[in-house]
Amino acid sequence: MKNQFFSKQLLAVASLMMLTVSCNNDDDFTAPPVIKGEQQLKDTLTIGKTLQLSSKLADRNNVSFEWAVDGKVVGSDSTYVFKPETRGDFKVTMTAKNGGGNVSLTYDIHTYGAYENGFFMINEGWFGHGTGTVGFYRYDTKAIEDSVFVKVNPDKDLKPESSTLEFGTIINKKLFLVSKVGGPVVVADAYSLKEEKRIPAQGGNDWRAVVGVDENQALLTSGKGIFKLNLSTMALNGQIEGVTGQVGDIVKAGGYIFALSASKGVIVINASTLAVEKTISGMVLGFAVTDDKKVWAAGGKNLISIDSNTLEVKEIPLGFQANGSWGAWHPGSITAARNDVFIAKNGSWSGGKEVYKYNGTAGSLTAPFITLTNSNILYGAGIGYDRKKNTLVVNTVNEGFGENFAINNLYLFNAESGVKTGTISFSGYYFPAVSVFHQ
C-alpha cells in the first residue's frame, strides 16, 4: 500500500511538471512571418522611374528584412525602392525572418527602356519652316511626348529645314530615321533613342525607306534607285543593278525583298544574291506583310498578294481606285494585322476618309471598316498596326489648307471590331508620316 501511495504521488508530480513545461513552451512559441496574398508577384516600370516594393507582411513586429536583386543583397528595410539602371528582367526577393522562421516574397519585374512602352510617331515637319520630329505615344500615360529625339540628343538635329523626315523603322533593335530632300539617315538605339550613327545630310541626298537584309547589310531606297548600306559603318556599297528612278516602300519576307518603283511597280529582289528576279507592273501602293508570309500591294482597282516562297501573285478586286504618293512621296497607306489587310481609300495623293479591311473574303471589301467623321482626313501613311495592343493606329489632320493642317488627331481602333478605343487631339504643324512599333 505504501509503495502504491508513493507511486501515485510521483505520477501526480510528473504530470504537473509536464503540464508546466507544456504551458511554458506555449508562452515562448513564435509564429513565423506571414505574407498577405501571393508570394510571386509581377510588375513593370520604365527606366528613370522608381517602384516602391512592400514586404506584404501581416505583422512586422520583431521581424528583420533582407532585399536582394538577382541574388545581390541591396536593403534591410521593410520596404525597398527599386530604381533600375538598365532595361531587362529583374528578380527582386524579400526575405523576412523572426525567431519562428522565415518567409520569402519574389517580384519579377520587367524594366522598359525609356522609349519602349509605346510607339513612335514620325512626323515629316513643316517644309521650309522646321525639320521633322519624332513623337512618342506612351501606353501607361496615354499621352504623346513631343520632339523626343532632340530632347534625348540635344547636340544633334535633323536639318536642313528643307528636308522632310518621312520614314522610320526598327532594324536589329535600332530605330532608323530616313529623310528626303538632302536630309540625313539617323540610327538611334530603339529603347533609349540615343543616336549612334548617321549618313550626314548633304545636297543630293533623297532617301525614302530602308529594310534590313541581314545583321550586317540593309537596302536604302531613294529618288535614284536602291543603295546597299553597310550597317556597321553606314557606308554605301553600290546599288542594285537594273533599278533606277524613284523607289519608295521596301520590305523583306521569306528569301525575297520587295520594293515599290514609280516606273516598274513591285520589284522582287533575291535576298541572297541581291539580283532582281521579277517585276509586277501597275502597282502603286505597298506594302503589308501578313503572318502567312504573303506580301500585299495594290494598283488600279486590285489588291494583290504575293507568296514570298513561290512568288505566285493573286488578284483581289478592291472596288475602288488604289492611289500611291509619287508626287510627294510618303509611306504607303496599307498595313497588316495577323492575316488581315487594312488599306486606305486615299485621294490621288493622300486625304482619304475610309479604311477597308480584307479578311480573305470578297464580302469584307464591300463596305469600309472605318469611316472618319467631321473634317478628319488621313495624312501620310495614315494607318499602322500595333501588334502589342491589337490596335489600328490612325493619324489625321483636317481637310482643307493652311491652319487645318495644324489640327491633328491620333485615333486608336480595335483591329478586330473597329471600335474606337482612344482619341488624342493636338495642334501644331507636324504633318504625320508613319507610326513605328516595337515588335
Side-chain angles (χ1 to χ4, degrees):
M1 293 292 293
K2 186 176 182 180
N3 288 340
Q4 288 181 349
F5 174 77
F6 280 111
S7 296
K8 288 179 180 180
Q9 279 190 319
L10 289 172
L11 183 61
V13 171
S15 298
L16 180 62
M17 291 177 63
M18 289 177 65
L19 179 62
T20 303
V21 170
S22 176
C23 289
N24 286 341
N25 284 344
D26 284 344
D27 291 341
D28 294 341
F29 176 74
T30 301
V34 176
I35 290 176
K36 295 184 293 184
E38 296 182 24
Q39 293 179 244
Q40 190 82 16
L41 302 173
K42 291 185 178 182
D43 216 327
T44 62
L45 80 163
T46 297
I47 281 183
K49 305 294 184 180
T50 60
L51 188 64
Q52 181 164 313
L53 305 178
S54 167
S55 60
K56 307 288 186 184
L57 290 192
D59 183 2
R60 299 179 185 177
N61 292 326
N62 301 315
V63 176
S64 64
F65 298 91
E66 179 182 277
W67 292 87
V69 177
D70 292 338
K72 181 180 178 181
V73 177
V74 293
S76 58
D77 293 332
S78 60
T79 61
Y80 173 65
V81 177
F82 180 59
K83 186 177 182 180
E85 297 181 357
T86 59
R87 64 176 294 273
D89 294 308
F90 298 86
K91 189 176 291 294
V92 181
T93 303
M94 183 283 303
T95 302
K97 303 177 182 179
N98 67 9
N102 62 71
V103 67
S104 293
L105 171 69
T106 299
Y107 287 88
D108 289 312
I109 301 175
H110 177 75
T111 302
Y112 294 110
Y115 296 97
E116 182 177 1
N117 193 30
F119 60 83
F120 296 103
M121 300 170 62
I122 311 302
N123 303 305
E124 65 182 39
W126 190 5
F127 180 77
H129 293 78
T131 68
T133 60
V134 179
F136 189 74
Y137 173 83
R138 205 171 285 281
Y139 294 139
D140 52 357
T141 63
K142 295 181 171 58
I144 298 170
E145 297 174 14
D146 184 31
S147 301
V148 292
F149 175 78
V150 293
K151 289 176 181 176
V152 173
N153 303 280
D155 58 335
K156 307 290 184 181
D157 60 56
L158 299 169
K159 293 182 178 180
E161 292 181 352
S162 59
S163 67
T164 54
L165 177 61
E166 207 66 68
F167 182 82
T169 192
I170 294 175
I171 302 172
N172 300 338
K173 299 180 182 179
K174 309 297 178 184
L175 175 67
F176 282 67
L177 303 173
V178 183
S179 299
K180 298 193 305 183
V181 200
V185 176
V186 173
V187 182
D189 183 274
Y191 304 116
S192 70
L193 214 52
K194 281 284 188 181
E195 180 176 328
E196 296 182 354
K197 303 170 187 175
R198 71 166 54 199
I199 297 176
Q202 65 178 19
N205 284 1
D206 198 14
W207 310 120
R208 295 289 185 271
V210 64
V211 70
V213 178
D214 53 37
E215 293 293 317
N216 304 307
Q217 187 171 211
L219 294 183
L220 179 63
T221 63
S222 75
K224 300 177 181 178
I226 304 174
F227 289 78
K228 302 172 187 177
L229 175 65
N230 185 303
L231 292 175
S232 297
T233 63
M234 294 298 286
L236 300 174
N237 298 322
Q239 294 185 243
I240 300 297
E241 292 185 10
V243 181
T244 59
Q246 188 173 185
V247 183
D249 289 278
I250 187 167
V251 296
K252 183 174 183 286
Y256 297 95
I257 295 162
F258 301 81
L260 193 63
S261 162
S263 60
K264 295 184 178 180
V266 176
I267 298 174
V268 183
I269 300 166
N270 186 298
S272 297
T273 65
L274 298 185
V276 174
E277 293 209 0
K278 184 174 185 174
T279 59
I280 306 168
S281 62
M283 297 297 106
V284 298
L285 176 63
F287 291 103
V289 182
T290 42
D291 287 358
D292 57 9
K293 301 303 178 184
K294 289 181 180 177
V295 178
W296 300 79
K301 293 187 177 181
N302 286 322
L303 177 68
I304 69 166
S305 68
I306 312 166
D307 189 307
S308 63
N309 294 312
T310 65
L311 301 186
E312 177 187 6
V313 178
K314 291 184 178 180
E315 292 186 350
I316 298 98
L318 262 180
F320 59 86
Q321 180 71 37
N323 287 306
S325 58
W326 292 119
W329 184 82
H330 61 69
S333 301
I334 185 171
T335 190
R338 302 187 178 104
N339 286 322
D340 297 328
V341 179
F342 296 95
I343 181 170
K345 183 182 178 181
N346 276 344
S348 58
W349 170 64
S350 192
K353 294 180 75 72
E354 296 177 344
V355 179
Y356 286 75
K357 176 181 178 180
Y358 178 66
N359 63 12
T361 65
S364 62
L365 291 171
T366 58
F369 180 66
I370 292 168
T371 300
L372 299 175
T373 58
N374 302 322
S375 299
N376 292 171
I377 57 172
L378 299 171
Y379 193 91
I383 58 175
Y385 177 64
D386 185 351
R387 183 178 289 268
K388 286 188 176 181
K389 300 295 182 178
N390 193 29
T391 298
L392 187 68
V393 176
V394 175
N395 284 98
T396 74
V397 296
N398 269 15
E399 58 187 343
F401 297 94
E403 294 181 355
N404 287 290
F405 288 128
I407 302 171
N408 304 271
N409 286 290
L410 173 69
Y411 295 119
L412 307 176
F413 295 89
N414 181 284
E416 295 291 336
S417 65
V419 172
K420 187 187 295 183
T421 58
T423 301
I424 299 178
S425 300
F426 56 102
S427 60
Y429 293 97
Y430 292 96
F431 298 93
V434 68
S435 299
V436 179
F437 307 95
H438 289 282
Q439 300 300 324

